[in-house]
Amino acid sequence: MKMRLASKNCAAGKMAALVAILACSMVVAIPVRAEPGITGVSGTVQGGSEVVRVEFSEPLAAVPTGFVIQQPARIALDFPGVVNQMGKSTVVVNQGNVRMVNVVQATDRTRMVLNLTQTTTYQTNIRGNTLLILLDPINKTGVPVRTSVFAESRNVATAPLKNVDFRRGTDTSGRVVVSLPNDQVGVDIRPQGQDLVVEFLKTSLPEGLHRKLDVSDFGTPVQSVSTEQSGDRVKMTIVSKGAWEHSAYQNDSELVVEVRPQKVEDASGTTIGRSLTYQGEKLSLNFQNIEVRSLLQVIADFTSFNIVTSDSVQGNLTLRLKDVPWDQALDIILQAKSLGMKRIGNVLQIAPKDEMAAKEKAELEAQSAIESLESLRTQAFQLNYTKAKEIADQITGSTSSGAADTQNARILSRRGSVIAEPRTNQIFVTDIPSRIAHVQEMLSKLDVPVRQVLIEARIVEASDTFGKSLGVKLGGADLRGVRGGDAGYSVGGGNRVAIGSSYGAVAGTTGQGGSVDPTANFVNLPAAGQLGQAAASFAISLFSSAANRYLNLELSALEADGKGRIVSSPRVVTANQVKALIEQGTEFPYEESAVNGRSTISFRKANLKLEVTPQITPEGNIILDLDINKDSRGETTTAGVAINTKHIKTNVLVENGGTVVIGGIFELTETEDVTQVPLLGDIPILGNLFKSRGKTSNKQELLVFITPKVISDSGSGMVR
């Protein structure tokens, strides 16, 4: 809701100023008992025109007075002697040009503000207990904007301006500060296109102030400020960019013109593009040299707040505020006069800041003195879920070592004390009643059951091994010293064949003295056995009985493929933010030498360990601080048994009941060996008879899956 107040001459005393304010605000204050009441507001369309229907409990005696505001588009109506009986102050219409209707009740009147999409005129018609507000169709011309002019000074002689300065506000606003010759200088402020023109009547511009200030680097809507002499007045042009709004206020002989980014509202009334600091209803103020106490009374009448002003609030103020929230206007007035405000319910206490600080200090000193003299009381508190010693340390602000921290950490007063009884889990607090009430309030939040979490870990350790080896034995022998007949099977033409590794001819060659030497071969490159396994072999022996000579060939090969998987699934239940540990394993002894020369036996663990600290977030997720070990027995050395260790330590966020893989260790080892006879092994195809090949591939992988679950508070079992 808006309110436009204008005064041409308010320097004739307190009563004259107040009369002029009420006269210019278009408000008719009639001391009539508030008997009629507004019972309902609605919007309809009748005959192509938009109509706002206002229902009353009794017929109105006269047509309400009102005015139209262009920016923002609003229509304000005043109902003297009428109260608001709807039980609410805002009615959302969203019908055509009308967005919403605000109804605010003052002491002797009620103001209704129609928030429009575009500016238009209106007509009123009373029909019994109903008031019809007919909105005219929207035209392109609209209502012309009226500019307000500060009261012109009656002094004929011109006076020079003292200074022109620019400052940046805290909310990206630009402030032009002008030092006037006196507090009676007339000022005319009007928008002109994208610029803001300020004219100082009956003034002159010194040579040093005839300049242009480039303030574009300050990050405000103001780009430049230029001043020049124009007849008997000084003309100041403030060039701005973007959408902006302005306000001006004068404190004694200092005028401040503030240009700030404009707040843009969408259809729902939500402010976008800028944070909303002030949320009061908008009003316009235009006063020249008005007393501060009278100005505060105007705001009190507008807001229906009770304002208590100190006797030390004095002085006059000149200001021009256009379409600003009332709380921002009050803030500007308080800042201009160094005043402070304290709100208690619907009462505003206003006094100088120094006076309010001194009063608050005196109240605190009096309260401290009362606490030092007030009688003590002792009260026992039974704790259910927490330990008495821990609560006692928190109340007294003591550390785990028992040393007291600063006095600010104590909840008790200086004379207060607490005794913890661990056997019955009670605490006995001795202090003044107000501090005991604080302790009771704190215990209601601390002594609560703690939720528990089930942490299930699945540790998967998989291995995949593959080995392949291929070798050849090639030898020859003379059968002339061999007894027992010819070996093998006849294949015709005096040639024979022996197949298999059991034939003596396969492994033997002719030794000295005509005997068979089973270890002598031309080529001895057999396949290498793996994992204690003997390689399979295939042998062929070709020989001629006529020549009594034979040639044997043995092919040996080995292929081993092994896959294994070890799955460990430790589970543990713990309270929220409490560390839990579960482990299982074996301790291996090893000999350790001492300083005196005597050896001692020590033990080292090879175990599976899960150490976790859960934390339940307000959203229901779980933060886990994990430390996982997966150890196993390794090689046996002269110093003892080696331990193969796999360790993961991390911090992870998991949803309740979800599963996450927190880490994986993957190892791949591939080896390929070739043993051959030099030169002969490089012969294509036939070279395979003079070489041995071996290929080994080992894969090991460790995966850890974590699944946390919050145990149900109402159920007796775990949530699975």
Side-chain angles (χ1 to χ4, degrees):
M1 183 173 65
K2 291 185 177 179
M3 179 177 182
R4 183 177 300 275
L5 303 175
S7 176
K8 290 296 183 180
N9 190 353
C10 303
K14 300 180 180 179
M15 295 302 297
L18 187 57
V19 171
I21 294 169
L22 296 178
C24 297
S25 63
M26 301 180 67
V27 177
V28 179
I30 304 175
V32 180
R33 183 177 179 85
E35 295 180 354
I38 300 177
T39 58
V41 177
S42 62
T44 59
V45 177
Q46 297 180 359
S49 300
E50 299 175 6
V51 179
V52 177
R53 299 176 58 91
V54 185
E55 303 291 341
F56 294 88
S57 59
E58 297 181 6
L60 290 178
V63 177
T65 59
F67 53 91
V68 179
I69 301 174
Q70 282 193 330
Q71 187 62 32
R74 293 179 178 178
I75 297 176
L77 300 174
D78 286 334
F79 298 91
V82 176
V83 297
N84 182 10
Q85 297 179 355
M86 295 189 301
K88 56 183 179 180
S89 59
T90 302
V91 178
V92 179
V93 178
N94 288 333
Q95 180 73 34
N97 192 21
V98 183
R99 293 192 294 112
M100 66 179 63
V101 178
N102 295 331
V103 180
V104 180
Q105 179 180 340
T107 55
D108 56 350
R109 65 184 182 277
T110 297
R111 170 163 291 185
M112 177 180 296
V113 177
L114 279 65
N115 297 271
L116 309 177
T117 304
Q118 298 184 30
T119 305
T120 183
T121 56
Y122 70 97
Q123 298 178 2
T124 57
N125 186 6
I126 298 178
R127 296 180 180 177
N129 295 359
T130 303
L131 172 66
L132 301 180
I133 305 175
L134 288 77
L135 303 183
D136 296 335
I138 302 174
N139 51 36
K140 298 183 179 180
T141 58
V143 181
V145 180
R146 297 189 298 175
T147 59
S148 300
V149 181
F150 283 177
E152 182 177 352
S153 175
R154 297 181 180 179
N155 298 329
V156 179
T158 60
L161 299 180
K162 296 181 180 180
N163 189 25
V164 177
D165 193 10
F166 180 83
R167 300 171 187 173
R168 186 181 187 275
T170 57
D171 54 349
T172 67
S173 62
R175 298 179 179 179
V176 181
V177 182
V178 182
S179 298
L180 304 176
N182 51 65
D183 57 357
Q184 298 297 323
V185 175
V187 181
D188 181 13
I189 303 177
R190 64 182 184 276
Q192 192 174 51
Q194 191 65 15
D195 303 335
L196 184 64
V197 178
V198 183
E199 290 186 351
F200 303 93
L201 311 180
K202 305 300 180 181
T203 56
S204 60
L205 186 65
E207 188 65 25
L209 299 181
H210 193 281
R211 60 190 178 184
K212 180 180 180 180
L213 301 177
D214 186 1
V215 295
S216 58
D217 295 337
F218 283 82
T220 67
V222 181
Q223 300 299 301
S224 63
V225 180
S226 58
T227 52
E228 59 182 357
Q229 187 72 41
S230 177
D232 61 346
R233 62 184 62 187
V234 175
K235 180 180 180 182
M236 174 184 293
T237 304
I238 303 175
V239 180
S240 305
K241 70 174 183 178
W244 51 270
E245 56 187 10
H246 73 281
S247 61
Y249 61 92
Q250 180 179 339
N251 185 13
D252 295 333
S253 60
E254 184 179 74
L255 175 68
V256 179
V257 180
E258 181 178 9
V259 180
R260 57 190 175 274
Q262 186 177 9
K263 294 176 291 185
V264 181
E265 295 184 354
D266 57 8
S268 61
T270 304
T271 302
I272 58 176
R274 181 167 172 243
S275 59
L276 184 60
T277 304
Y278 302 100
Q279 301 179 354
E281 298 296 334
K282 292 184 178 181
L283 79 164
S284 298
L285 299 175
N286 188 352
F287 298 116
Q288 175 76 19
N289 200 21
I290 185 176
E291 189 177 14
V292 177
R293 300 173 67 89
S294 300
L295 189 57
L296 294 176
Q297 183 62 36
V298 173
I299 295 180
D301 293 339
F302 178 78
T303 61
S304 300
F305 271 95
N306 301 315
I307 295 182
V308 179
T309 306
S310 175
D311 294 338
S312 54
V313 176
Q314 302 293 336
N316 297 338
L317 190 64
T318 300
L319 78 164
R320 180 185 184 275
L321 302 178
K322 179 181 178 181
D323 297 335
V324 298
W326 70 264
D327 47 355
Q328 183 182 8
L330 179 60
D331 191 19
I332 292 174
I333 297 171
L334 298 180
Q335 291 181 4
K337 288 299 182 180
S338 298
L339 300 176
M341 180 184 66
K342 183 178 181 181
R343 178 174 176 176
I344 303 176
N346 64 341
V347 178
L348 301 180
Q349 296 181 358
I350 298 177
K353 293 182 178 179
D354 297 339
E355 180 180 336
M356 296 190 69
K359 183 179 180 181
E360 185 175 358
K361 180 180 178 181
E363 291 178 354
L364 293 177
E365 291 177 351
Q367 183 178 0
S368 178
I370 293 175
E371 290 183 355
S372 61
L373 300 176
E374 193 173 358
S375 59
L376 301 179
R377 191 180 69 180
T378 301
Q379 184 173 345
F381 295 95
Q382 177 67 54
L383 304 180
N384 299 320
Y385 305 100
T386 56
K387 295 182 180 180
K389 183 65 172 60
E390 296 178 357
I391 293 295
D393 292 340
Q394 294 177 0
I395 293 176
T396 57
S398 301
T399 60
S400 58
S401 59
D405 290 337
T406 58
Q407 183 66 24
N408 294 332
R410 290 174 55 93
I411 298 179
L412 304 179
S413 64
R414 295 182 179 180
R415 298 189 298 157
S417 62
V418 59
I419 299 175
E421 172 54 43
R423 185 175 60 87
T424 59
N425 200 30
Q426 295 185 81
I427 60 172
F428 299 89
V429 181
T430 302
D431 209 333
I432 60 178
S434 60
R435 294 302 179 97
I436 291 180
H438 291 168
V439 172
Q440 186 173 5
E441 181 180 358
M442 187 191 73
L443 291 180
S444 64
K445 299 179 180 179
L446 295 179
D447 189 25
V448 294
V450 180
R451 290 186 289 178
Q452 300 184 85
V453 182
L454 165 66
I455 299 98
E456 179 180 1
R458 291 186 295 275
I459 303 174
V460 181
E461 186 176 5
S463 63
D464 186 359
T465 61
F466 176 78
K468 182 170 68 174
S469 180
L470 180 65
V472 174
K473 287 183 181 181
L474 182 63
D478 189 352
L479 296 178
R480 287 177 292 181
V482 179
R483 297 180 180 180
D486 297 333
Y489 303 94
S490 175
V491 294
N495 297 321
R496 302 180 69 85
V497 176
I499 302 176
S501 60
S502 62
Y503 289 92
V506 175
T509 57
T510 304
Q512 297 179 356
S515 62
V516 178
D517 185 2
T519 61
N521 291 289
F522 299 149
V523 177
N524 189 7
L525 298 174
Q530 298 179 357
L531 302 177
Q533 300 176 359
S537 62
F538 174 79
I540 299 176
S541 177
L542 298 174
F543 58 91
S544 173
S545 60
N548 290 328
R549 314 281 301 179
Y550 69 87
L551 180 67
N552 65 70
L553 174 64
E554 180 181 343
L555 302 177
S556 60
L558 173 68
E559 181 173 303
D561 190 1
K563 296 183 179 179
R565 184 175 64 176
I566 302 175
V567 180
S568 303
S569 181
R571 299 182 181 182
V572 64
V573 179
T574 182
N576 185 28
Q577 299 188 10
V578 177
K579 181 184 295 185
L581 173 64
I582 182 174
E583 62 178 342
Q584 178 187 9
T586 306
E587 292 188 357
F588 295 97
Y590 64 94
E591 188 175 352
E592 183 178 11
S593 60
V595 180
N596 54 7
R598 296 182 179 180
S599 61
T600 59
I601 301 299
S602 300
F603 293 88
R604 184 178 179 185
K605 292 182 178 181
N607 58 358
L608 170 65
K609 184 183 74 172
L610 172 62
E611 183 177 323
V612 58
T613 303
Q615 177 184 349
I616 304 175
T617 64
E619 297 83 6
N621 299 328
I622 303 173
I623 299 175
L624 299 176
D625 189 0
L626 292 163
D627 190 354
I628 301 174
N629 271 52
K630 180 66 173 69
D631 301 338
S632 60
R633 179 189 177 99
E635 299 179 355
T636 303
T637 63
T638 56
V641 179
I643 304 298
N644 297 330
T645 301
K646 296 179 177 63
H647 185 201
I648 297 176
K649 186 175 183 179
T650 184
N651 188 282
V652 65
L653 174 64
V654 192
E655 64 179 2
N656 182 23
T659 301
V660 62
V661 182
I662 64 170
I665 300 175
F666 179 80
E667 295 181 0
L668 174 61
T669 304
E670 292 183 348
T671 58
E672 185 173 357
D673 299 327
V674 178
T675 305
Q676 68 179 15
V677 177
L679 298 179
L680 296 179
D682 296 331
I683 299 175
I685 302 176
L686 294 178
N688 293 325
L689 299 176
F690 302 95
K691 66 176 63 175
S692 173
R693 292 188 179 91
K695 184 177 181 181
T696 305
S697 176
N698 294 327
K699 299 179 182 178
Q700 289 187 348
E701 187 172 6
L702 175 67
L703 297 175
V704 180
F705 300 86
I706 299 295
T707 303
K709 302 175 184 177
V710 178
I711 297 179
S712 176
D713 297 335
S714 58
S716 59
M718 300 178 181
V719 178
R720 295 184 180 272

